[in-house]
Amino acid sequence: MRSAIAVALGVAAVGLIATRFIGPIGMLFLAGGLIVAMVVLLAGPGDAAAVRRPDPLRFVDAPAPQRPRAQPKATPAPSGRALWERATGRHDEVLSEYAGYELDPEMLLRFPAMWDLSSPKVIAFHDALEHAGALRTDEYPGEGSAAEYADAVTDLRTTWYAADRHARSTGTTGLPAEDARDLDRGLKLYRHASSSTAAERAAYLNQVVSTVDRLVDRGVLPAPPRFRAELEAEARKAIES
C-alpha cells in the first residue's frame, strides 16, 4: 500500500511542477494522483493473508505437533486350557438342557421326537453326545486333546440345537393314533396329579407310570425313563400320607 501512495504522490508532485510550464495538463496529473491515493486509502489493507509477514519464530499459526496414533493391541489367542475350560462349560449347558427331556415327564410326553431314531437330526445329536462324553476329562488333557474335545463340543452344540428344534416343532405329529393318544392321556394324568388330593395323586401317578411303560414297550419313549422310579416313589409317598 505504501508503494501505491508513493506513486500517487510522485505523480501529484510532477503535476505541480508541470503546472509552471504546461498549465492545465499539470493540473490533470495532480488530480489523477490524488484520485489514486484516495482509492488506495479507502480500499484498506486488503487480504491480511496476502500481506502477512514471515514469522521466523513460528509464533503465529504454528501447527500442533501430530502424535502418532496408538495401534490397537492384538487380542491374544486363548490358551489351550482356556479353550478346554470353555468347552466343558458349554458341554454342561447342553447336558442341562437335554436333562429336561429325561427328567421332566411333561417334556418327555410332549416331545417324544427327541428319541425318534429315524430322524437324522436326532441321530446326529446322540452320536455327538456320545463322542463329546468320551473325550471329556476331569483334568486338562493337554493342548492336542483339548482342541479335539473343543471341536467335539462345538459339533455337539450344533446338533443339539437342531434336534431340540426338531422335537419341539414335531410334537406327536407322525405317530400312530394309539401312541399319540397314550402320550396325551399320560400328560393329562400327570397334570391332574399336581392338583389332586393325596389319594387321587397316587392313583394318577400310577396311571402315568403304566402309560409310560406301554409307550416304552412300543418304542415311543426311551427305556427306562429316568423319572419313572421317582414317580413310583412319589406315588407311594402320597398313599402313606
Side-chain angles (χ1 to χ4, degrees):
M1 184 178 71
R2 291 180 179 178
S3 60
I5 295 174
V7 172
L9 293 177
V11 173
V14 173
L16 288 174
I17 296 171
T19 55
R20 297 179 61 185
F21 304 99
I22 305 175
I25 295 176
M27 294 299 293
L28 289 175
F29 274 101
L30 176 61
L34 292 175
I35 290 172
V36 172
M38 291 177 63
V39 170
V40 173
L41 289 172
L42 292 175
D47 186 4
V51 297
R52 182 176 296 165
R53 296 181 178 180
D55 184 14
L57 297 181
R58 300 186 179 276
F59 290 132
V60 180
D61 295 336
Q66 296 293 327
R67 295 183 178 179
R69 294 184 178 180
Q71 296 296 325
K73 295 182 179 180
T75 303
S79 64
R81 180 178 291 276
L83 290 174
W84 175 76
E85 290 176 350
R86 183 169 62 182
T88 57
R90 290 178 172 178
H91 193 172
D92 288 341
E93 290 176 1
V94 173
L95 293 176
S96 177
E97 293 174 8
Y98 174 58
Y101 283 91
E102 292 190 319
L103 301 177
D104 185 350
E106 186 161 341
M107 289 285 288
L108 185 80
L109 295 168
R110 287 179 62 193
F111 309 119
M114 180 57 72
W115 293 272
D116 179 13
L117 297 182
S118 66
S119 168
K121 295 179 180 179
V122 174
I123 294 175
F125 163 65
H126 285 283
D127 288 345
L129 182 65
E130 182 178 356
H131 181 54
L135 294 176
R136 181 163 183 167
T137 57
D138 294 333
E139 301 294 337
Y140 176 58
E143 187 173 351
S145 298
E148 184 181 3
Y149 172 65
D151 290 341
V153 171
T154 298
D155 183 53
L156 173 63
R157 281 162 53 88
T158 301
T159 57
W160 160 246
Y161 293 136
D164 183 52
R165 286 193 300 268
H166 168 72
R168 292 177 184 273
S169 62
T170 301
T172 58
T173 303
L175 290 175
E178 182 181 10
D179 294 339
R181 185 171 57 252
D182 279 349
L183 287 165
D184 183 63
R185 179 173 181 271
L187 182 60
K188 289 179 179 178
L189 289 169
Y190 180 73
R191 289 174 176 174
H192 286 321
S194 62
S195 58
S196 302
T197 61
E200 292 175 340
R201 181 176 176 79
Y204 283 135
L205 291 176
N206 284 325
Q207 290 183 63
V208 172
V209 171
S210 298
T211 302
V212 168
D213 287 342
R214 287 197 302 272
L215 291 168
V216 169
D217 292 339
R218 295 201 295 266
V220 180
L221 298 179
R226 293 172 61 181
F227 63 81
R228 187 185 184 283
E230 295 180 4
L231 290 181
E232 288 182 327
E234 193 174 346
R236 289 193 300 269
K237 183 178 179 180
I239 294 175
E240 293 171 358
S241 61

PDB file of all heavy atoms in Angstrom, residues 167-187:
ATOM      1  N   ALA A 167     -37.588 -81.690  17.754  1.00  0.00           N
ATOM      2  CA  ALA A 167     -38.511 -82.293  18.722  1.00  0.00           C
ATOM      3  C   ALA A 167     -39.660 -81.351  19.062  1.00  0.00           C
ATOM      4  O   ALA A 167     -40.827 -81.772  19.110  1.00  0.00           O
ATOM      5  CB  ALA A 167     -37.741 -82.669  19.988  1.00  0.00           C
ATOM      6  N   ARG A 168     -39.357 -80.087  19.270  1.00  0.00           N
ATOM      7  CA  ARG A 168     -40.404 -79.129  19.654  1.00  0.00           C
ATOM      8  C   ARG A 168     -41.378 -78.861  18.518  1.00  0.00           C
ATOM      9  O   ARG A 168     -42.575 -78.660  18.740  1.00  0.00           O
ATOM     10  CB  ARG A 168     -39.768 -77.837  20.144  1.00  0.00           C
ATOM     11  CG  ARG A 168     -39.021 -77.975  21.466  1.00  0.00           C
ATOM     12  CD  ARG A 168     -38.356 -76.673  21.871  1.00  0.00           C
ATOM     13  NE  ARG A 168     -37.574 -76.819  23.086  1.00  0.00           N
ATOM     14  CZ  ARG A 168     -38.060 -76.682  24.322  1.00  0.00           C
ATOM     15  NH1 ARG A 168     -39.344 -76.406  24.495  1.00  0.00           N
ATOM     16  NH2 ARG A 168     -37.276 -76.827  25.370  1.00  0.00           N
ATOM     17  N   SER A 169     -40.858 -78.790  17.309  1.00  0.00           N
ATOM     18  CA  SER A 169     -41.737 -78.499  16.172  1.00  0.00           C
ATOM     19  C   SER A 169     -42.554 -79.715  15.743  1.00  0.00           C
ATOM     20  O   SER A 169     -43.623 -79.575  15.144  1.00  0.00           O
ATOM     21  CB  SER A 169     -40.908 -78.000  14.985  1.00  0.00           C
ATOM     22  OG  SER A 169     -39.995 -78.993  14.541  1.00  0.00           O
ATOM     23  N   THR A 170     -42.058 -80.917  16.066  1.00  0.00           N
ATOM     24  CA  THR A 170     -42.751 -82.134  15.646  1.00  0.00           C
ATOM     25  C   THR A 170     -43.850 -82.528  16.616  1.00  0.00           C
ATOM     26  O   THR A 170     -44.963 -82.888  16.214  1.00  0.00           O
ATOM     27  CB  THR A 170     -41.741 -83.296  15.501  1.00  0.00           C
ATOM     28  OG1 THR A 170     -40.749 -82.938  14.540  1.00  0.00           O
ATOM     29  CG2 THR A 170     -42.437 -84.565  15.056  1.00  0.00           C
ATOM     30  N   GLY A 171     -43.560 -82.444  17.934  1.00  0.00           N
ATOM     31  CA  GLY A 171     -44.550 -82.870  18.920  1.00  0.00           C
ATOM     32  C   GLY A 171     -44.871 -84.343  18.750  1.00  0.00           C
ATOM     33  O   GLY A 171     -43.981 -85.185  18.742  1.00  0.00           O
ATOM     34  N   THR A 172     -46.168 -84.655  18.593  1.00  0.00           N
ATOM     35  CA  THR A 172     -46.590 -86.044  18.376  1.00  0.00           C
ATOM     36  C   THR A 172     -47.007 -86.271  16.921  1.00  0.00           C
ATOM     37  O   THR A 172     -47.582 -87.316  16.605  1.00  0.00           O
ATOM     38  CB  THR A 172     -47.762 -86.392  19.305  1.00  0.00           C
ATOM     39  OG1 THR A 172     -48.849 -85.487  19.060  1.00  0.00           O
ATOM     40  CG2 THR A 172     -47.350 -86.282  20.762  1.00  0.00           C
ATOM     41  N   THR A 173     -46.705 -85.301  16.070  1.00  0.00           N
ATOM     42  CA  THR A 173     -47.074 -85.430  14.655  1.00  0.00           C
ATOM     43  C   THR A 173     -46.353 -86.624  14.030  1.00  0.00           C
ATOM     44  O   THR A 173     -45.164 -86.833  14.245  1.00  0.00           O
ATOM     45  CB  THR A 173     -46.696 -84.154  13.885  1.00  0.00           C
ATOM     46  OG1 THR A 173     -47.347 -83.038  14.499  1.00  0.00           O
ATOM     47  CG2 THR A 173     -47.108 -84.240  12.429  1.00  0.00           C
ATOM     48  N   GLY A 174     -47.087 -87.383  13.240  1.00  0.00           N
ATOM     49  CA  GLY A 174     -46.492 -88.518  12.544  1.00  0.00           C
ATOM     50  C   GLY A 174     -46.547 -89.820  13.314  1.00  0.00           C
ATOM     51  O   GLY A 174     -46.212 -90.873  12.744  1.00  0.00           O
ATOM     52  N   LEU A 175     -46.930 -89.781  14.570  1.00  0.00           N
ATOM     53  CA  LEU A 175     -47.037 -91.015  15.357  1.00  0.00           C
ATOM     54  C   LEU A 175     -48.359 -91.709  15.055  1.00  0.00           C
ATOM     55  O   LEU A 175     -49.353 -91.062  14.687  1.00  0.00           O
ATOM     56  CB  LEU A 175     -46.960 -90.704  16.848  1.00  0.00           C
ATOM     57  CG  LEU A 175     -45.608 -90.238  17.384  1.00  0.00           C
ATOM     58  CD1 LEU A 175     -45.749 -89.857  18.859  1.00  0.00           C
ATOM     59  CD2 LEU A 175     -44.545 -91.308  17.216  1.00  0.00           C
ATOM     60  N   PRO A 176     -48.390 -93.013  15.244  1.00  0.00           N
ATOM     61  CA  PRO A 176     -49.682 -93.704  15.125  1.00  0.00           C
ATOM     62  C   PRO A 176     -50.697 -93.128  16.124  1.00  0.00           C
ATOM     63  O   PRO A 176     -50.319 -92.612  17.182  1.00  0.00           O
ATOM     64  CB  PRO A 176     -49.328 -95.158  15.456  1.00  0.00           C
ATOM     65  CG  PRO A 176     -47.874 -95.279  15.124  1.00  0.00           C
ATOM     66  CD  PRO A 176     -47.281 -93.952  15.451  1.00  0.00           C
ATOM     67  N   ALA A 177     -51.968 -93.262  15.782  1.00  0.00           N
ATOM     68  CA  ALA A 177     -53.023 -92.654  16.604  1.00  0.00           C
ATOM     69  C   ALA A 177     -52.986 -93.180  18.034  1.00  0.00           C
ATOM     70  O   ALA A 177     -53.195 -92.425  18.997  1.00  0.00           O
ATOM     71  CB  ALA A 177     -54.380 -92.924  15.969  1.00  0.00           C
ATOM     72  N   GLU A 178     -52.697 -94.462  18.194  1.00  0.00           N
ATOM     73  CA  GLU A 178     -52.667 -95.048  19.547  1.00  0.00           C
ATOM     74  C   GLU A 178     -51.540 -94.433  20.377  1.00  0.00           C
ATOM     75  O   GLU A 178     -51.737 -94.112  21.562  1.00  0.00           O
ATOM     76  CB  GLU A 178     -52.491 -96.559  19.452  1.00  0.00           C
ATOM     77  CG  GLU A 178     -52.508 -97.259  20.814  1.00  0.00           C
ATOM     78  CD  GLU A 178     -52.307 -98.766  20.687  1.00  0.00           C
ATOM     79  OE1 GLU A 178     -51.968 -99.232  19.568  1.00  0.00           O
ATOM     80  OE2 GLU A 178     -52.471 -99.477  21.696  1.00  0.00           O
ATOM     81  N   ASP A 179     -50.385 -94.263  19.778  1.00  0.00           N
ATOM     82  CA  ASP A 179     -49.260 -93.678  20.503  1.00  0.00           C
ATOM     83  C   ASP A 179     -49.548 -92.219  20.873  1.00  0.00           C
ATOM     84  O   ASP A 179     -49.271 -91.796  22.007  1.00  0.00           O
ATOM     85  CB  ASP A 179     -47.993 -93.752  19.655  1.00  0.00           C
ATOM     86  CG  ASP A 179     -47.546 -95.187  19.428  1.00  0.00           C
ATOM     87  OD1 ASP A 179     -47.946 -96.065  20.225  1.00  0.00           O
ATOM     88  OD2 ASP A 179     -46.793 -95.417  18.461  1.00  0.00           O
ATOM     89  N   ALA A 180     -50.067 -91.464  19.931  1.00  0.00           N
ATOM     90  CA  ALA A 180     -50.390 -90.059  20.207  1.00  0.00           C
ATOM     91  C   ALA A 180     -51.449 -89.954  21.304  1.00  0.00           C
ATOM     92  O   ALA A 180     -51.368 -89.080  22.173  1.00  0.00           O
ATOM     93  CB  ALA A 180     -50.873 -89.382  18.926  1.00  0.00           C
ATOM     94  N   ARG A 181     -52.421 -90.867  21.293  1.00  0.00           N
ATOM     95  CA  ARG A 181     -53.473 -90.851  22.309  1.00  0.00           C
ATOM     96  C   ARG A 181     -52.911 -91.176  23.684  1.00  0.00           C
ATOM     97  O   ARG A 181     -53.264 -90.525  24.680  1.00  0.00           O
ATOM     98  CB  ARG A 181     -54.563 -91.849  21.922  1.00  0.00           C
ATOM     99  CG  ARG A 181     -55.760 -91.823  22.868  1.00  0.00           C
ATOM    100  CD  ARG A 181     -56.914 -92.664  22.331  1.00  0.00           C
ATOM    101  NE  ARG A 181     -56.507 -94.047  22.088  1.00  0.00           N
ATOM    102  CZ  ARG A 181     -56.352 -94.570  20.867  1.00  0.00           C
ATOM    103  NH1 ARG A 181     -56.544 -93.824  19.785  1.00  0.00           N
ATOM    104  NH2 ARG A 181     -56.000 -95.843  20.724  1.00  0.00           N
ATOM    105  N   ASP A 182     -52.037 -92.150  23.779  1.00  0.00           N
ATOM    106  CA  ASP A 182     -51.452 -92.506  25.072  1.00  0.00           C
ATOM    107  C   ASP A 182     -50.556 -91.380  25.601  1.00  0.00           C
ATOM    108  O   ASP A 182     -50.521 -91.120  26.821  1.00  0.00           O
ATOM    109  CB  ASP A 182     -50.645 -93.796  24.959  1.00  0.00           C
ATOM    110  CG  ASP A 182     -51.524 -95.039  25.016  1.00  0.00           C
ATOM    111  OD1 ASP A 182     -52.723 -94.887  25.347  1.00  0.00           O
ATOM    112  OD2 ASP A 182     -51.021 -96.135  24.725  1.00  0.00           O
ATOM    113  N   LEU A 183     -49.806 -90.738  24.731  1.00  0.00           N
ATOM    114  CA  LEU A 183     -48.979 -89.606  25.167  1.00  0.00           C
ATOM    115  C   LEU A 183     -49.853 -88.480  25.720  1.00  0.00           C
ATOM    116  O   LEU A 183     -49.535 -87.896  26.767  1.00  0.00           O
ATOM    117  CB  LEU A 183     -48.142 -89.093  23.996  1.00  0.00           C
ATOM    118  CG  LEU A 183     -46.966 -89.978  23.571  1.00  0.00           C
ATOM    119  CD1 LEU A 183     -46.449 -89.553  22.197  1.00  0.00           C
ATOM    120  CD2 LEU A 183     -45.846 -89.900  24.602  1.00  0.00           C
ATOM    121  N   ASP A 184     -50.940 -88.193  25.045  1.00  0.00           N
ATOM    122  CA  ASP A 184     -51.834 -87.133  25.511  1.00  0.00           C
ATOM    123  C   ASP A 184     -52.497 -87.532  26.827  1.00  0.00           C
ATOM    124  O   ASP A 184     -52.627 -86.706  27.743  1.00  0.00           O
ATOM    125  CB  ASP A 184     -52.892 -86.865  24.440  1.00  0.00           C
ATOM    126  CG  ASP A 184     -53.813 -85.716  24.819  1.00  0.00           C
ATOM    127  OD1 ASP A 184     -53.322 -84.570  24.955  1.00  0.00           O
ATOM    128  OD2 ASP A 184     -55.022 -85.963  25.000  1.00  0.00           O
ATOM    129  N   ARG A 185     -52.879 -88.778  26.951  1.00  0.00           N
ATOM    130  CA  ARG A 185     -53.501 -89.253  28.190  1.00  0.00           C
ATOM    131  C   ARG A 185     -52.518 -89.188  29.353  1.00  0.00           C
ATOM    132  O   ARG A 185     -52.850 -88.736  30.452  1.00  0.00           O
ATOM    133  CB  ARG A 185     -53.995 -90.679  27.998  1.00  0.00           C
ATOM    134  CG  ARG A 185     -54.655 -91.295  29.239  1.00  0.00           C
ATOM    135  CD  ARG A 185     -55.271 -92.649  28.900  1.00  0.00           C
ATOM    136  NE  ARG A 185     -55.916 -93.218  30.076  1.00  0.00           N
ATOM    137  CZ  ARG A 185     -55.301 -93.984  30.960  1.00  0.00           C
ATOM    138  NH1 ARG A 185     -54.001 -94.274  30.802  1.00  0.00           N
ATOM    139  NH2 ARG A 185     -55.964 -94.461  32.001  1.00  0.00           N
ATOM    140  N   GLY A 186     -51.289 -89.655  29.128  1.00  0.00           N
ATOM    141  CA  GLY A 186     -50.291 -89.602  30.189  1.00  0.00           C
ATOM    142  C   GLY A 186     -49.997 -88.172  30.616  1.00  0.00           C
ATOM    143  O   GLY A 186     -49.796 -87.906  31.818  1.00  0.00           O
ATOM    144  N   LEU A 187     -49.972 -87.232  29.672  1.00  0.00           N
ATOM    145  CA  LEU A 187     -49.725 -85.832  30.006  1.00  0.00           C
ATOM    146  C   LEU A 187     -50.855 -85.258  30.854  1.00  0.00           C
ATOM    147  O   LEU A 187     -50.600 -84.555  31.854  1.00  0.00           O
ATOM    148  CB  LEU A 187     -49.563 -85.028  28.711  1.00  0.00           C
ATOM    149  CG  LEU A 187     -49.260 -83.542  28.858  1.00  0.00           C
ATOM    150  CD1 LEU A 187     -47.948 -83.330  29.615  1.00  0.00           C
ATOM    151  CD2 LEU A 187     -49.188 -82.877  27.483  1.00  0.00           C
TER     152      LEU A 187
END
